[in-house]
Amino acid sequence: MGLTVAGVVGILPIAWNTDDVTYRFGTVSWFVPVLAIGIIATALAYVLGIASTRLLGSRLASFIALAEVVAALLLGWLLLGQLPNLLQGLGAVLVLAGVVVAKLGEPAASVSGDPVLDFAETP
């Protein structure tokens, strides 16, 4: 919303076109990335985010969400050929270390909290 307002006001120059999009592996029509953003980056990510938060717990899920930055760095490198610099690499390592520390700090749970799973595990 903020970017839209900044574009309408003229603070941020915004432009779009229907030219083909060139990636490292080839060229695709403009609607392919638009569909990918709509389906993969929005709808699928939303559903998987809800499911993973339920499975991992809120604490670990919040730290793993930080891995989005690392994924963006890797995808930029693989798809667009944007080589990360040393500072970006250090940031990625720190994010991953934070995820590991958060996981190690979680208490071990003997009960999953899911009645179906708990019933299945009882002798």
Side-chain angles (χ1 to χ4, degrees):
M1 177 74 175
L3 291 177
T4 303
V5 171
V8 170
V9 173
I11 297 172
L12 178 69
I14 295 178
W16 64 276
N17 60 47
T18 56
D19 295 342
D20 289 344
V21 179
T22 303
Y23 291 104
R24 191 173 191 181
F25 58 83
T27 302
V28 296
S29 182
W30 66 271
F31 65 85
V32 173
V34 171
L35 287 176
I37 289 171
I39 295 170
I40 297 171
T42 304
L44 185 62
Y46 183 75
V47 171
L48 291 176
I50 292 170
S52 65
T53 300
R54 289 183 178 197
L55 290 173
L56 297 173
S58 60
R59 180 178 179 196
L60 181 59
S62 66
F63 278 99
I64 289 183
L66 294 174
E68 179 182 355
V69 177
V70 178
L73 183 138
L74 291 175
L75 287 174
W77 180 32
L78 293 173
L79 294 175
L80 304 173
Q82 296 176 339
L83 196 61
N85 62 30
L86 182 62
L87 188 58
Q88 290 170 320
L90 179 63
V93 168
L94 289 174
V95 168
L96 292 175
V99 170
V100 170
V101 168
K103 182 62 180 169
L104 292 175
E106 279 189 347
S110 60
V111 178
S112 69
D114 187 348
V116 175
L117 291 176
D118 293 340
F119 179 74
E121 293 175 359
T122 56

